[in-house]
Amino acid sequence: NYQQTTSGQDYIWKSGGTERMRIDSAGNLGLGTSTPTNSVNYNTLDIRGSSGGQIIAGRTSAVDYFMYTTSTSANIGGLNDVAFKAGTAGDMTTPNLYLKSGGNCGIGTSNPSAKIHIQENSDPTSSVSGLKLSSNASGSNKYLPAIEWAYGANGTPSFAKIEAIRGTGASGLILFSSADSAGTMNERMRIDSAGNVGIGLTNPATPLNVQGI
């Protein structure tokens, strides 16, 4: 049954004598709660349950999309692929981000062929930034986020990595490292800000400087 608390106030829907839905005086909709939470200047759909809230969309025979919460996580999923798009148009034929049901993630492509597949859909005639690792590091000799290769369920231990160092001013260095038989990571090669390559040493003085040669 339907009940209005006071003229101009909350609208309440009940079944079996228990409140099931409420639209409060600010225009927020609550399911499973009589006090839907909202942020300033935003209207809110607030769904609560003993184990969490859930939104489901699908066909008669299947749940195609779901979003639900638990006490430890927020979960979004779909029966098949999940596509995300940002922009002014609602057409989802060219999504910005595409999660395939097999686990591959495509950025700029709806048919990713790797765990992460980034595709540039224009025909650039100059350098295009496809992946950027950045840091708020200031000053010199500061390490930036690295790319690491690892094995094991938790991504440990690592056995190889590529990393960058901010040098003096706007200069930079690239370091290549690998682990020894004990699992200790050691730098094997670097390219310094002058373009010199050092193998087995950290201060190359020539375009190619190999320790022991």
Side-chain angles (χ1 to χ4, degrees):
N1 65 309
Y2 161 73
Q3 170 187 349
Q4 183 178 12
T5 54
T6 306
S7 178
Q9 300 299 313
D10 296 358
Y11 292 83
I12 301 171
W13 285 261
K14 297 182 178 182
S15 65
T18 301
E19 179 178 334
R20 305 299 183 183
M21 183 173 72
R22 173 185 296 246
I23 300 176
D24 68 15
S25 59
N28 301 306
L29 173 61
L31 300 175
T33 175
S34 60
T35 55
T37 303
N38 75 303
S39 301
V40 177
N41 299 324
Y42 290 91
N43 288 114
T44 301
L45 169 61
D46 188 348
I47 303 175
R48 306 290 181 95
S50 59
S51 297
Q54 181 169 244
I55 295 176
I56 292 176
R59 295 158 291 163
T60 303
S61 60
V63 174
D64 293 313
Y65 169 83
F66 60 85
M67 180 172 64
Y68 69 93
T69 62
T70 68
S71 60
T72 58
S73 64
N75 305 273
I76 297 175
L79 177 64
N80 297 299
D81 303 337
V82 180
F84 298 87
K85 182 175 180 179
T88 57
D91 179 18
M92 291 301 296
T93 57
T94 54
N96 303 107
L97 177 65
Y98 208 97
L99 300 179
K100 297 290 286 184
S101 58
N104 288 348
C105 175
I107 300 175
T109 175
S110 60
N111 190 30
S113 57
K115 290 298 183 184
I116 298 179
H117 182 167
I118 302 173
Q119 178 169 308
E120 171 57 49
N121 291 306
S122 65
D123 190 13
T125 57
S126 60
S127 176
V128 174
S129 180
L131 178 65
K132 180 177 286 188
L133 305 176
S134 62
S135 170
N136 289 326
S138 60
S140 58
N141 299 319
K142 299 295 180 66
Y143 283 77
L144 280 71
I147 299 174
E148 293 195 23
W149 288 266
Y151 58 93
N154 297 316
T156 57
S158 297
F159 57 85
K161 68 177 176 178
I162 301 174
E163 57 192 329
I165 297 177
R166 176 181 176 175
T168 303
S171 67
L173 302 83
I174 301 177
L175 281 58
F176 301 81
S177 303
S178 65
D180 58 22
S181 59
T184 302
M185 193 72 67
N186 296 284
E187 180 185 329
R188 308 300 184 182
M189 184 177 76
R190 72 167 52 193
I191 303 174
D192 68 14
S193 58
N196 294 331
V197 177
I199 300 176
L201 47 87
T202 60
N203 56 343
T206 58
L208 178 58
N209 201 170
V210 182
Q211 187 179 39
I213 297 179

